[in-house]
Amino acid sequence: MSSEVQASQRTHPAPRDLDWRVRIAGLGRYLPRRRVTSAEVESMAGLPQGWALEHSGVAFRHWADDEERASWMGAHAARDACQRAGIEPRELDLIVNASGSVERSIPDGGPMLQRELGLGASGIPSLSVHATCLSFIAALELAGERIHHGRIDRALLASSEIASVGLDFDSPEICSLFGDGAAAAVLERTPEGEASAIHRVAWLTMGDDVELTTLRGGGSWRPPLGASTTAADARFSMQGPKVLRNAMRLVPQALRRIGLDDAGARREVRWIAAHQASRAGLDYVRRLGFDKARFVSTLENTGNCIAASIPLTIEHGVREGQIRRGEPGLLLGTGAGLSAAALLMTY
């Protein structure tokens, strides 16, 4: 087989059916008490009136106070999800903290979430999946496969993000876009007679783009007390136009890998919960052939909440009746790195 054919097959593999018999049994959310208007952000950043909403698409976002720690917010969302699923947290077999921001470098956020749920002596396996904005999709794939194959019966996924502590108010596109929040989902095996399932998953990463979206400080490269560490290393930075341009190349590949490479296939998707990256990013996804009526959107009222954006959007869609049991839908997004992911499922 020629190297050109092999390369083509690596780039465009045939869609692989998983059909994992897994469903989201309950969803929950927590939004911080402080609700921040775009006018407030404009005042902080010295921006003209109306600039933030026009450029970011965000009218409101929530910012956490000192008491609203990430694990605390995640536990609030998790209790809500468990209640809606009709279970007690102690009935969980796995707890996954699926977040892009961390409360502490050590320990892992999974045990911290477990402790906040009052399960600190339970022994329930608790861990983190950190894939920035795509952490929830990564956790859904990890836990979904375990449930489908009978390793566990029930899992909690919680994405809790506090972006406000790392905002650069000298960068208008950053400070006007991001919000804080948490969302959680309980996964379980699909009951007989229901159609809920995870059908296909695709994930692509282009590591050459790691510098486009980054927070350099806090790790071993730029430690807090390092001689070369600067104040700027504690601030999130993003080259928005380049990220969008490169994402526009990756997202169609992800859709192709799950079999949504033509208009006919895309019409079968009844709802889309995309990462609320930005107004420009959402507009691009709509131009791929998904009409606006099928889009569930939370960007205007919560901003970009990193990994919590997708589960917050699913929770909103279910609560508002845009996502209904038994209907096929799509989770879609990009994350720092640069990665793109697509997950085709029936709710």
Side-chain angles (χ1 to χ4, degrees):
M1 185 180 293
S2 71
S3 59
E4 290 81 3
V5 172
Q6 289 177 330
S8 175
Q9 289 183 348
R10 286 195 299 270
T11 305
H12 306 298
R16 179 176 297 178
D17 291 319
L18 302 173
D19 292 329
W20 294 338
R21 298 281 296 161
V22 177
R23 74 167 187 166
I24 296 176
L27 292 151
R29 72 168 189 172
Y30 179 84
L31 296 176
R33 293 179 283 259
R34 183 185 177 193
R35 190 171 185 246
V36 182
T37 67
S38 282
E40 292 178 74
V41 175
E42 290 158 357
S43 177
M44 296 175 193
L47 297 170
Q49 184 177 2
W51 189 97
L53 177 59
E54 179 182 352
H55 286 79
S56 70
V58 182
F60 305 96
R61 75 283 292 144
H62 295 255
W63 288 350
D65 61 32
D66 291 342
E67 296 179 355
E68 294 171 306
R69 292 172 290 105
S71 57
W72 185 87
M73 296 197 312
H76 271 260
R79 291 189 190 96
D80 192 11
C82 288
Q83 182 179 19
R84 293 173 187 272
I87 67 163
E88 295 292 331
R90 65 176 179 272
E91 298 178 67
L92 297 166
D93 301 310
L94 175 67
I95 296 171
V96 184
N97 165 50
S99 305
S101 59
V102 297
E103 186 172 322
R104 303 184 191 183
S105 296
I106 296 173
D108 161 31
M112 297 177 70
L113 176 60
Q114 185 207 61
R115 183 183 67 174
E116 287 290 340
L117 285 168
L119 300 170
S122 67
I124 298 171
S126 304
L127 53 91
S128 288
V129 170
H130 176 11
T132 63
C133 301
L134 297 175
S135 299
F136 183 81
I137 292 181
L140 186 59
E141 182 177 1
L142 179 151
E145 185 173 21
R146 292 189 182 193
I147 292 171
H148 174 77
H149 289 295
R151 293 183 60 191
I152 60 174
D153 294 320
R154 192 175 286 114
L156 170 74
L157 316 180
S159 297
S160 185
E161 305 284 20
I162 298 180
S164 56
V165 295
L167 296 181
D168 183 354
F169 284 88
D170 291 326
S171 176
E173 70 170 343
I174 290 175
C175 68
S176 64
L177 179 60
F178 288 90
D180 303 339
V186 172
L187 299 188
E188 66 181 17
R189 191 179 312 282
T190 303
E192 290 298 325
E194 286 194 12
S196 300
I198 295 173
H199 303 296
R200 295 174 179 176
V201 183
W203 194 289
L204 299 94
T205 301
M206 300 299 180
D208 284 345
D209 291 338
V210 295
E211 297 297 338
L212 297 185
T213 312
T214 186
L215 198 161
R216 296 180 176 86
S220 58
W221 180 42
R222 299 287 174 89
L225 302 180
S228 61
T229 301
T230 68
D233 293 326
R235 297 286 181 261
F236 175 75
S237 66
M238 177 175 65
Q239 300 177 45
K242 289 185 178 179
V243 171
L244 179 60
R245 184 168 61 249
N246 291 357
M248 289 168 66
R249 292 199 294 266
L250 277 185
V251 169
Q253 293 183 51
L255 292 174
R256 188 177 301 115
R257 290 191 180 193
I258 61 168
L260 296 182
D261 51 353
D262 63 68
R266 293 176 190 180
R267 279 194 294 269
E268 297 299 315
V269 175
R270 305 312 307 157
W271 55 268
I272 300 101
H275 170 48
Q276 307 292 292
S278 65
R279 171 182 280 171
L282 292 177
D283 286 345
Y284 166 69
V285 175
R286 292 189 186 105
R287 291 197 301 270
L288 292 175
F290 300 107
D291 60 81
K292 188 174 182 178
R294 290 181 286 170
F295 261 81
V296 185
S297 181
T298 55
L299 181 69
E300 184 175 355
N301 290 302
T302 61
N304 180 334
C305 291
I306 318 177
S309 278
I310 287 178
L312 279 170
T313 301
I314 300 170
E315 192 277 339
H316 177 81
V318 171
R319 182 160 38 86
E320 296 298 320
Q322 293 175 270
I323 300 175
R324 292 181 288 271
R325 184 66 72 190
E327 290 189 340
L330 173 67
L331 307 185
L332 183 66
T334 57
L338 178 74
S339 294
L343 186 147
L344 190 63
M345 65 180 294
T346 296
Y347 175 73

